[in-house]
Amino acid sequence: MNPLTDKTVSFTTASSTDGRGADRDLMNLPVRALIKLGVRNEDFGYHLLRASMVIIFFFFGYQKWFQYEVERLIPYISNGPLIFWLYPLLGMRGTTWFLGVSEWTFGTLLLLGFWNRKLGILGALGSSATFIATVTIIPFMPDGWDAAAGGFPAMTGNVPFPMKDVVLLATSLYLLTQDLRGELRSTGTGE
């Protein structure tokens, strides 16, 4: 019963007399729309992850051209066991420019990986190296674990920001393995 019109509303269709046919049609509508968009495609997740990584590299690479990012990166680069050497070699500004160029290069290679798997492999290798370098900062970050909360695993200070890189590293390794498998299959040397 519709309370605005005092009329009975029926949701039956020709295929159903119990009133559930229209409900099923309404539930199937978004499913059909997602299938048309290619979500059902077995490669959809792979392509979505690749596109996400491209976006991330372009946005984070863009930040590296500005002074605010130079200052924000000091605690990370200074405490990074794999990247601390960048400051003595390139200086603070040169280091952020180097990182920006690297991120745009890896993002571009990942983008080109949509059409050329070998370039995608290079992008995924660079991406993996990037996130290995940033994930290794986590244990070396001073005051990264809140003593008042019992220390590890209570993150504080600068530790939460690079924690996202654990997922980005996993994504990079996934893209790398998928591209390598595809390349091996296409050359006839794999599986």
Side-chain angles (χ1 to χ4, degrees):
M1 181 73 88
N2 184 328
L4 299 175
T5 62
D6 292 329
K7 295 183 180 178
T8 303
V9 179
S10 173
F11 287 103
T12 59
T13 65
S15 64
S16 174
T17 58
D18 62 2
R20 290 186 287 181
D23 292 345
R24 283 192 190 117
D25 287 343
L26 287 174
M27 289 171 49
N28 287 333
L29 182 64
V31 171
R32 285 193 301 267
L34 290 171
I35 289 169
K36 284 184 182 180
L37 289 172
V39 173
R40 190 167 162 215
N41 179 334
E42 66 185 46
D43 292 337
F44 177 77
Y46 163 79
H47 293 305
L48 183 63
L49 288 174
R50 179 176 294 284
S52 298
M53 293 299 287
V54 169
I55 291 167
I56 286 169
F57 272 117
F58 283 130
F59 275 92
F60 275 87
Y62 177 76
Q63 288 181 285
K64 302 303 187 285
W65 301 104
F66 300 99
Q67 185 60 35
Y68 75 90
E69 188 70 0
V70 172
E71 295 165 11
R72 201 167 282 156
L73 290 178
I74 292 171
Y76 299 102
I77 295 170
S78 298
N79 292 294
L82 301 179
I83 58 174
F84 71 91
W85 55 270
L86 289 170
Y87 280 157
L89 182 67
L90 303 173
M92 291 172 65
R93 181 55 118 172
T95 295
T96 56
W97 287 346
F98 170 76
L99 295 173
V101 169
S102 298
E103 289 171 357
W104 279 357
T105 300
F106 302 144
T108 300
L109 289 167
L110 286 169
L111 177 65
L112 294 172
F114 279 112
W115 300 279
N116 184 312
R117 198 175 291 122
K118 289 179 182 174
L119 294 176
I121 290 169
L122 290 175
L125 279 169
S127 180
S128 297
T130 296
F131 296 115
I132 288 170
T134 57
V135 166
T136 59
I137 295 169
I138 295 169
F140 298 97
M141 187 62 69
D143 303 318
W145 310 105
D146 194 327
F152 179 83
M155 299 180 296
T156 189
N158 290 322
V159 168
F161 180 70
M163 278 301 235
K164 70 176 178 358
D165 294 351
V166 173
V167 174
L168 296 174
L169 173 59
T171 302
S172 301
L173 293 171
Y174 172 77
L175 292 174
L176 179 60
T177 58
Q178 293 304 307
D179 287 346
L180 285 170
R181 283 183 185 150
E183 188 62 24
L184 290 172
R185 274 194 300 268
S186 71
T187 60
T189 58
E191 303 167 28

PDB file of all heavy atoms in Angstrom, residues 123-160:
ATOM      1  N   GLY A 123      58.127  -0.748 -15.652  1.00  0.00           N
ATOM      2  CA  GLY A 123      57.415   0.113 -14.715  1.00  0.00           C
ATOM      3  C   GLY A 123      57.146  -0.581 -13.394  1.00  0.00           C
ATOM      4  O   GLY A 123      57.307   0.009 -12.317  1.00  0.00           O
ATOM      5  N   ALA A 124      56.753  -1.848 -13.453  1.00  0.00           N
ATOM      6  CA  ALA A 124      56.475  -2.607 -12.223  1.00  0.00           C
ATOM      7  C   ALA A 124      57.756  -2.874 -11.435  1.00  0.00           C
ATOM      8  O   ALA A 124      57.737  -2.872 -10.202  1.00  0.00           O
ATOM      9  CB  ALA A 124      55.764  -3.913 -12.559  1.00  0.00           C
ATOM     10  N   LEU A 125      58.866  -3.083 -12.129  1.00  0.00           N
ATOM     11  CA  LEU A 125      60.157  -3.239 -11.432  1.00  0.00           C
ATOM     12  C   LEU A 125      60.528  -1.949 -10.700  1.00  0.00           C
ATOM     13  O   LEU A 125      60.922  -1.979  -9.528  1.00  0.00           O
ATOM     14  CB  LEU A 125      61.264  -3.609 -12.421  1.00  0.00           C
ATOM     15  CG  LEU A 125      61.363  -5.062 -12.835  1.00  0.00           C
ATOM     16  CD1 LEU A 125      62.316  -5.218 -14.018  1.00  0.00           C
ATOM     17  CD2 LEU A 125      61.813  -5.913 -11.667  1.00  0.00           C
ATOM     18  N   GLY A 126      60.411  -0.835 -11.393  1.00  0.00           N
ATOM     19  CA  GLY A 126      60.706   0.456 -10.768  1.00  0.00           C
ATOM     20  C   GLY A 126      59.766   0.745  -9.609  1.00  0.00           C
ATOM     21  O   GLY A 126      60.188   1.243  -8.560  1.00  0.00           O
ATOM     22  N   SER A 127      58.502   0.431  -9.798  1.00  0.00           N
ATOM     23  CA  SER A 127      57.508   0.624  -8.751  1.00  0.00           C
ATOM     24  C   SER A 127      57.838  -0.235  -7.533  1.00  0.00           C
ATOM     25  O   SER A 127      57.782   0.235  -6.388  1.00  0.00           O
ATOM     26  CB  SER A 127      56.123   0.276  -9.307  1.00  0.00           C
ATOM     27  OG  SER A 127      55.128   0.448  -8.351  1.00  0.00           O
ATOM     28  N   SER A 128      58.200  -1.479  -7.771  1.00  0.00           N
ATOM     29  CA  SER A 128      58.562  -2.379  -6.673  1.00  0.00           C
ATOM     30  C   SER A 128      59.772  -1.840  -5.911  1.00  0.00           C
ATOM     31  O   SER A 128      59.783  -1.823  -4.671  1.00  0.00           O
ATOM     32  CB  SER A 128      58.863  -3.786  -7.194  1.00  0.00           C
ATOM     33  OG  SER A 128      57.718  -4.343  -7.792  1.00  0.00           O
ATOM     34  N   ALA A 129      60.784  -1.386  -6.640  1.00  0.00           N
ATOM     35  CA  ALA A 129      61.979  -0.828  -5.995  1.00  0.00           C
ATOM     36  C   ALA A 129      61.620   0.401  -5.168  1.00  0.00           C
ATOM     37  O   ALA A 129      62.119   0.578  -4.044  1.00  0.00           O
ATOM     38  CB  ALA A 129      63.032  -0.484  -7.040  1.00  0.00           C
ATOM     39  N   THR A 130      60.743   1.244  -5.706  1.00  0.00           N
ATOM     40  CA  THR A 130      60.304   2.439  -4.986  1.00  0.00           C
ATOM     41  C   THR A 130      59.696   2.077  -3.644  1.00  0.00           C
ATOM     42  O   THR A 130      60.045   2.653  -2.602  1.00  0.00           O
ATOM     43  CB  THR A 130      59.261   3.210  -5.826  1.00  0.00           C
ATOM     44  OG1 THR A 130      59.885   3.672  -7.019  1.00  0.00           O
ATOM     45  CG2 THR A 130      58.673   4.375  -5.060  1.00  0.00           C
ATOM     46  N   PHE A 131      58.786   1.115  -3.662  1.00  0.00           N
ATOM     47  CA  PHE A 131      58.069   0.799  -2.434  1.00  0.00           C
ATOM     48  C   PHE A 131      58.875  -0.088  -1.484  1.00  0.00           C
ATOM     49  O   PHE A 131      58.643  -0.059  -0.277  1.00  0.00           O
ATOM     50  CB  PHE A 131      56.684   0.242  -2.751  1.00  0.00           C
ATOM     51  CG  PHE A 131      55.848   1.292  -3.433  1.00  0.00           C
ATOM     52  CD1 PHE A 131      55.425   1.130  -4.735  1.00  0.00           C
ATOM     53  CD2 PHE A 131      55.542   2.475  -2.777  1.00  0.00           C
ATOM     54  CE1 PHE A 131      54.689   2.117  -5.370  1.00  0.00           C
ATOM     55  CE2 PHE A 131      54.816   3.471  -3.402  1.00  0.00           C
ATOM     56  CZ  PHE A 131      54.382   3.294  -4.698  1.00  0.00           C
ATOM     57  N   ILE A 132      59.845  -0.819  -2.000  1.00  0.00           N
ATOM     58  CA  ILE A 132      60.785  -1.498  -1.101  1.00  0.00           C
ATOM     59  C   ILE A 132      61.573  -0.440  -0.333  1.00  0.00           C
ATOM     60  O   ILE A 132      61.748  -0.531   0.889  1.00  0.00           O
ATOM     61  CB  ILE A 132      61.718  -2.449  -1.880  1.00  0.00           C
ATOM     62  CG1 ILE A 132      60.937  -3.677  -2.360  1.00  0.00           C
ATOM     63  CG2 ILE A 132      62.923  -2.849  -1.024  1.00  0.00           C
ATOM     64  CD1 ILE A 132      61.691  -4.557  -3.345  1.00  0.00           C
ATOM     65  N   ALA A 133      62.016   0.599  -1.051  1.00  0.00           N
ATOM     66  CA  ALA A 133      62.779   1.669  -0.407  1.00  0.00           C
ATOM     67  C   ALA A 133      61.951   2.390   0.654  1.00  0.00           C
ATOM     68  O   ALA A 133      62.471   2.735   1.721  1.00  0.00           O
ATOM     69  CB  ALA A 133      63.278   2.657  -1.450  1.00  0.00           C
ATOM     70  N   THR A 134      60.663   2.618   0.385  1.00  0.00           N
ATOM     71  CA  THR A 134      59.864   3.364   1.365  1.00  0.00           C
ATOM     72  C   THR A 134      59.390   2.478   2.520  1.00  0.00           C
ATOM     73  O   THR A 134      59.312   2.947   3.654  1.00  0.00           O
ATOM     74  CB  THR A 134      58.663   4.055   0.691  1.00  0.00           C
ATOM     75  OG1 THR A 134      57.858   3.093   0.018  1.00  0.00           O
ATOM     76  CG2 THR A 134      59.133   5.118  -0.281  1.00  0.00           C
ATOM     77  N   VAL A 135      59.096   1.224   2.254  1.00  0.00           N
ATOM     78  CA  VAL A 135      58.652   0.332   3.336  1.00  0.00           C
ATOM     79  C   VAL A 135      59.782   0.087   4.335  1.00  0.00           C
ATOM     80  O   VAL A 135      59.546  -0.024   5.536  1.00  0.00           O
ATOM     81  CB  VAL A 135      58.105  -0.996   2.757  1.00  0.00           C
ATOM     82  CG1 VAL A 135      57.970  -2.059   3.824  1.00  0.00           C
ATOM     83  CG2 VAL A 135      56.766  -0.758   2.073  1.00  0.00           C
ATOM     84  N   THR A 136      61.011   0.061   3.851  1.00  0.00           N
ATOM     85  CA  THR A 136      62.132  -0.180   4.767  1.00  0.00           C
ATOM     86  C   THR A 136      62.392   1.000   5.698  1.00  0.00           C
ATOM     87  O   THR A 136      63.149   0.869   6.659  1.00  0.00           O
ATOM     88  CB  THR A 136      63.430  -0.519   3.996  1.00  0.00           C
ATOM     89  OG1 THR A 136      63.746   0.572   3.119  1.00  0.00           O
ATOM     90  CG2 THR A 136      63.292  -1.814   3.228  1.00  0.00           C
ATOM     91  N   ILE A 137      61.776   2.137   5.441  1.00  0.00           N
ATOM     92  CA  ILE A 137      61.906   3.289   6.337  1.00  0.00           C
ATOM     93  C   ILE A 137      61.175   3.028   7.654  1.00  0.00           C
ATOM     94  O   ILE A 137      61.618   3.464   8.720  1.00  0.00           O
ATOM     95  CB  ILE A 137      61.340   4.562   5.671  1.00  0.00           C
ATOM     96  CG1 ILE A 137      62.157   4.944   4.446  1.00  0.00           C
ATOM     97  CG2 ILE A 137      61.282   5.721   6.668  1.00  0.00           C
ATOM     98  CD1 ILE A 137      61.522   6.032   3.589  1.00  0.00           C
ATOM     99  N   ILE A 138      60.078   2.292   7.603  1.00  0.00           N
ATOM    100  CA  ILE A 138      59.176   2.133   8.755  1.00  0.00           C
ATOM    101  C   ILE A 138      59.895   1.714  10.035  1.00  0.00           C
ATOM    102  O   ILE A 138      59.738   2.371  11.065  1.00  0.00           O
ATOM    103  CB  ILE A 138      58.014   1.188   8.404  1.00  0.00           C
ATOM    104  CG1 ILE A 138      57.141   1.823   7.317  1.00  0.00           C
ATOM    105  CG2 ILE A 138      57.182   0.846   9.635  1.00  0.00           C
ATOM    106  CD1 ILE A 138      56.119   0.897   6.686  1.00  0.00           C
ATOM    107  N   PRO A 139      60.711   0.668  10.035  1.00  0.00           N
ATOM    108  CA  PRO A 139      61.340   0.277  11.306  1.00  0.00           C
ATOM    109  C   PRO A 139      62.382   1.263  11.812  1.00  0.00           C
ATOM    110  O   PRO A 139      62.745   1.237  12.983  1.00  0.00           O
ATOM    111  CB  PRO A 139      61.989  -1.072  11.003  1.00  0.00           C
ATOM    112  CG  PRO A 139      61.716  -1.396   9.596  1.00  0.00           C
ATOM    113  CD  PRO A 139      60.977  -0.273   8.966  1.00  0.00           C
ATOM    114  N   PHE A 140      62.866   2.143  10.940  1.00  0.00           N
ATOM    115  CA  PHE A 140      63.943   3.058  11.318  1.00  0.00           C
ATOM    116  C   PHE A 140      63.459   4.461  11.669  1.00  0.00           C
ATOM    117  O   PHE A 140      64.257   5.325  12.006  1.00  0.00           O
ATOM    118  CB  PHE A 140      64.985   3.138  10.192  1.00  0.00           C
ATOM    119  CG  PHE A 140      65.640   1.816   9.931  1.00  0.00           C
ATOM    120  CD1 PHE A 140      65.185   0.993   8.903  1.00  0.00           C
ATOM    121  CD2 PHE A 140      66.684   1.381  10.729  1.00  0.00           C
ATOM    122  CE1 PHE A 140      65.784  -0.243   8.676  1.00  0.00           C
ATOM    123  CE2 PHE A 140      67.283   0.151  10.510  1.00  0.00           C
ATOM    124  CZ  PHE A 140      66.830  -0.661   9.480  1.00  0.00           C
ATOM    125  N   MET A 141      62.151   4.683  11.591  1.00  0.00           N
ATOM    126  CA  MET A 141      61.605   6.009  11.877  1.00  0.00           C
ATOM    127  C   MET A 141      61.643   6.268  13.383  1.00  0.00           C
ATOM    128  O   MET A 141      61.039   5.522  14.159  1.00  0.00           O
ATOM    129  CB  MET A 141      60.175   6.095  11.351  1.00  0.00           C
ATOM    130  CG  MET A 141      59.582   7.481  11.455  1.00  0.00           C
ATOM    131  SD  MET A 141      60.444   8.740  10.485  1.00  0.00           S
ATOM    132  CE  MET A 141      60.054   8.248   8.821  1.00  0.00           C
ATOM    133  N   PRO A 142      62.355   7.316  13.821  1.00  0.00           N
ATOM    134  CA  PRO A 142      62.406   7.614  15.253  1.00  0.00           C
ATOM    135  C   PRO A 142      61.017   7.973  15.792  1.00  0.00           C
ATOM    136  O   PRO A 142      60.238   8.635  15.116  1.00  0.00           O
ATOM    137  CB  PRO A 142      63.341   8.833  15.342  1.00  0.00           C
ATOM    138  CG  PRO A 142      63.949   8.997  14.008  1.00  0.00           C
ATOM    139  CD  PRO A 142      63.133   8.237  13.022  1.00  0.00           C
ATOM    140  N   ASP A 143      60.749   7.536  16.992  1.00  0.00           N
ATOM    141  CA  ASP A 143      59.481   7.820  17.666  1.00  0.00           C
ATOM    142  C   ASP A 143      58.277   7.427  16.811  1.00  0.00           C
ATOM    143  O   ASP A 143      57.242   8.089  16.830  1.00  0.00           O
ATOM    144  CB  ASP A 143      59.389   9.302  18.043  1.00  0.00           C
ATOM    145  CG  ASP A 143      60.544   9.742  18.925  1.00  0.00           C
ATOM    146  OD1 ASP A 143      60.900   8.963  19.837  1.00  0.00           O
ATOM    147  OD2 ASP A 143      61.087  10.834  18.696  1.00  0.00           O
ATOM    148  N   GLY A 144      58.405   6.343  16.090  1.00  0.00           N
ATOM    149  CA  GLY A 144      57.323   5.888  15.218  1.00  0.00           C
ATOM    150  C   GLY A 144      56.272   5.044  15.914  1.00  0.00           C
ATOM    151  O   GLY A 144      55.216   4.783  15.351  1.00  0.00           O
ATOM    152  N   TRP A 145      56.568   4.611  17.116  1.00  0.00           N
ATOM    153  CA  TRP A 145      55.642   3.753  17.851  1.00  0.00           C
ATOM    154  C   TRP A 145      55.322   4.434  19.181  1.00  0.00           C
ATOM    155  O   TRP A 145      56.220   4.786  19.937  1.00  0.00           O
ATOM    156  CB  TRP A 145      56.260   2.367  18.061  1.00  0.00           C
ATOM    157  CG  TRP A 145      56.785   1.824  16.767  1.00  0.00           C
ATOM    158  CD1 TRP A 145      58.092   1.747  16.388  1.00  0.00           C
ATOM    159  CD2 TRP A 145      56.021   1.357  15.660  1.00  0.00           C
ATOM    160  NE1 TRP A 145      58.182   1.244  15.110  1.00  0.00           N
ATOM    161  CE2 TRP A 145      56.922   0.986  14.639  1.00  0.00           C
ATOM    162  CE3 TRP A 145      54.656   1.198  15.417  1.00  0.00           C
ATOM    163  CZ2 TRP A 145      56.525   0.490  13.411  1.00  0.00           C
ATOM    164  CZ3 TRP A 145      54.249   0.691  14.185  1.00  0.00           C
ATOM    165  CH2 TRP A 145      55.181   0.336  13.210  1.00  0.00           C
ATOM    166  N   ASP A 146      54.082   4.633  19.465  1.00  0.00           N
ATOM    167  CA  ASP A 146      53.634   5.395  20.628  1.00  0.00           C
ATOM    168  C   ASP A 146      53.927   4.659  21.937  1.00  0.00           C
ATOM    169  O   ASP A 146      53.317   3.634  22.229  1.00  0.00           O
ATOM    170  CB  ASP A 146      52.136   5.681  20.510  1.00  0.00           C
ATOM    171  CG  ASP A 146      51.679   6.730  21.483  1.00  0.00           C
ATOM    172  OD1 ASP A 146      52.232   6.811  22.599  1.00  0.00           O
ATOM    173  OD2 ASP A 146      50.760   7.490  21.127  1.00  0.00           O
ATOM    174  N   ALA A 147      54.864   5.199  22.713  1.00  0.00           N
ATOM    175  CA  ALA A 147      55.267   4.567  23.974  1.00  0.00           C
ATOM    176  C   ALA A 147      54.109   4.521  24.966  1.00  0.00           C
ATOM    177  O   ALA A 147      53.960   3.545  25.716  1.00  0.00           O
ATOM    178  CB  ALA A 147      56.451   5.315  24.579  1.00  0.00           C
ATOM    179  N   ALA A 148      53.275   5.552  24.976  1.00  0.00           N
ATOM    180  CA  ALA A 148      52.144   5.590  25.910  1.00  0.00           C
ATOM    181  C   ALA A 148      51.128   4.491  25.625  1.00  0.00           C
ATOM    182  O   ALA A 148      50.400   4.063  26.502  1.00  0.00           O
ATOM    183  CB  ALA A 148      51.460   6.956  25.847  1.00  0.00           C
ATOM    184  N   ALA A 149      51.100   4.037  24.377  1.00  0.00           N
ATOM    185  CA  ALA A 149      50.178   2.965  23.989  1.00  0.00           C
ATOM    186  C   ALA A 149      50.865   1.605  23.990  1.00  0.00           C
ATOM    187  O   ALA A 149      50.317   0.627  23.496  1.00  0.00           O
ATOM    188  CB  ALA A 149      49.597   3.253  22.619  1.00  0.00           C
ATOM    189  N   GLY A 150      52.078   1.541  24.485  1.00  0.00           N
ATOM    190  CA  GLY A 150      52.783   0.265  24.570  1.00  0.00           C
ATOM    191  C   GLY A 150      53.782   0.035  23.457  1.00  0.00           C
ATOM    192  O   GLY A 150      54.313  -1.057  23.313  1.00  0.00           O
ATOM    193  N   GLY A 151      54.034   1.037  22.625  1.00  0.00           N
ATOM    194  CA  GLY A 151      54.989   0.882  21.520  1.00  0.00           C
ATOM    195  C   GLY A 151      54.376   0.133  20.350  1.00  0.00           C
ATOM    196  O   GLY A 151      53.194   0.246  20.070  1.00  0.00           O
ATOM    197  N   PHE A 152      55.220  -0.635  19.675  1.00  0.00           N
ATOM    198  CA  PHE A 152      54.752  -1.410  18.524  1.00  0.00           C
ATOM    199  C   PHE A 152      53.554  -2.271  18.914  1.00  0.00           C
ATOM    200  O   PHE A 152      53.585  -2.897  19.959  1.00  0.00           O
ATOM    201  CB  PHE A 152      55.897  -2.295  18.011  1.00  0.00           C
ATOM    202  CG  PHE A 152      55.517  -3.150  16.844  1.00  0.00           C
ATOM    203  CD1 PHE A 152      55.551  -2.626  15.577  1.00  0.00           C
ATOM    204  CD2 PHE A 152      55.117  -4.463  17.026  1.00  0.00           C
ATOM    205  CE1 PHE A 152      55.195  -3.415  14.491  1.00  0.00           C
ATOM    206  CE2 PHE A 152      54.757  -5.253  15.946  1.00  0.00           C
ATOM    207  CZ  PHE A 152      54.803  -4.711  14.677  1.00  0.00           C
ATOM    208  N   PRO A 153      52.486  -2.308  18.174  1.00  0.00           N
ATOM    209  CA  PRO A 153      52.202  -1.778  16.846  1.00  0.00           C
ATOM    210  C   PRO A 153      51.433  -0.452  16.836  1.00  0.00           C
ATOM    211  O   PRO A 153      50.807  -0.129  15.840  1.00  0.00           O
ATOM    212  CB  PRO A 153      51.355  -2.871  16.233  1.00  0.00           C
ATOM    213  CG  PRO A 153      50.526  -3.368  17.366  1.00  0.00           C
ATOM    214  CD  PRO A 153      51.448  -3.265  18.577  1.00  0.00           C
ATOM    215  N   ALA A 154      51.466   0.307  17.907  1.00  0.00           N
ATOM    216  CA  ALA A 154      50.735   1.579  17.976  1.00  0.00           C
ATOM    217  C   ALA A 154      51.509   2.650  17.206  1.00  0.00           C
ATOM    218  O   ALA A 154      52.416   3.279  17.735  1.00  0.00           O
ATOM    219  CB  ALA A 154      50.520   1.982  19.424  1.00  0.00           C
ATOM    220  N   MET A 155      51.154   2.839  15.957  1.00  0.00           N
ATOM    221  CA  MET A 155      51.860   3.789  15.099  1.00  0.00           C
ATOM    222  C   MET A 155      51.599   5.219  15.546  1.00  0.00           C
ATOM    223  O   MET A 155      50.520   5.555  16.002  1.00  0.00           O
ATOM    224  CB  MET A 155      51.381   3.656  13.648  1.00  0.00           C
ATOM    225  CG  MET A 155      51.612   2.333  13.016  1.00  0.00           C
ATOM    226  SD  MET A 155      51.007   2.309  11.314  1.00  0.00           S
ATOM    227  CE  MET A 155      49.253   2.542  11.538  1.00  0.00           C
ATOM    228  N   THR A 156      52.610   6.046  15.357  1.00  0.00           N
ATOM    229  CA  THR A 156      52.466   7.469  15.640  1.00  0.00           C
ATOM    230  C   THR A 156      53.462   8.235  14.774  1.00  0.00           C
ATOM    231  O   THR A 156      54.295   7.640  14.099  1.00  0.00           O
ATOM    232  CB  THR A 156      52.693   7.765  17.143  1.00  0.00           C
ATOM    233  OG1 THR A 156      52.332   9.118  17.411  1.00  0.00           O
ATOM    234  CG2 THR A 156      54.119   7.523  17.560  1.00  0.00           C
ATOM    235  N   GLY A 157      53.372   9.543  14.818  1.00  0.00           N
ATOM    236  CA  GLY A 157      54.322  10.380  14.092  1.00  0.00           C
ATOM    237  C   GLY A 157      54.310  10.134  12.603  1.00  0.00           C
ATOM    238  O   GLY A 157      53.267  10.182  11.957  1.00  0.00           O
ATOM    239  N   ASN A 158      55.478   9.829  12.063  1.00  0.00           N
ATOM    240  CA  ASN A 158      55.640   9.684  10.614  1.00  0.00           C
ATOM    241  C   ASN A 158      55.463   8.258  10.097  1.00  0.00           C
ATOM    242  O   ASN A 158      55.589   8.025   8.904  1.00  0.00           O
ATOM    243  CB  ASN A 158      57.025  10.198  10.207  1.00  0.00           C
ATOM    244  CG  ASN A 158      57.127  11.697  10.351  1.00  0.00           C
ATOM    245  OD1 ASN A 158      56.180  12.426  10.073  1.00  0.00           O
ATOM    246  ND2 ASN A 158      58.272  12.172  10.798  1.00  0.00           N
ATOM    247  N   VAL A 159      55.182   7.308  10.958  1.00  0.00           N
ATOM    248  CA  VAL A 159      55.061   5.917  10.508  1.00  0.00           C
ATOM    249  C   VAL A 159      53.775   5.634   9.719  1.00  0.00           C
ATOM    250  O   VAL A 159      53.822   4.919   8.717  1.00  0.00           O
ATOM    251  CB  VAL A 159      55.214   4.936  11.695  1.00  0.00           C
ATOM    252  CG1 VAL A 159      54.816   3.523  11.305  1.00  0.00           C
ATOM    253  CG2 VAL A 159      56.650   4.951  12.179  1.00  0.00           C
ATOM    254  N   PRO A 160      52.623   6.172  10.098  1.00  0.00           N
ATOM    255  CA  PRO A 160      51.408   5.802   9.354  1.00  0.00           C
ATOM    256  C   PRO A 160      51.469   6.116   7.857  1.00  0.00           C
ATOM    257  O   PRO A 160      50.951   5.349   7.046  1.00  0.00           O
ATOM    258  CB  PRO A 160      50.304   6.609  10.045  1.00  0.00           C
ATOM    259  CG  PRO A 160      50.799   6.805  11.431  1.00  0.00           C
ATOM    260  CD  PRO A 160      52.300   6.958  11.286  1.00  0.00           C
TER     261      PRO A 160
END
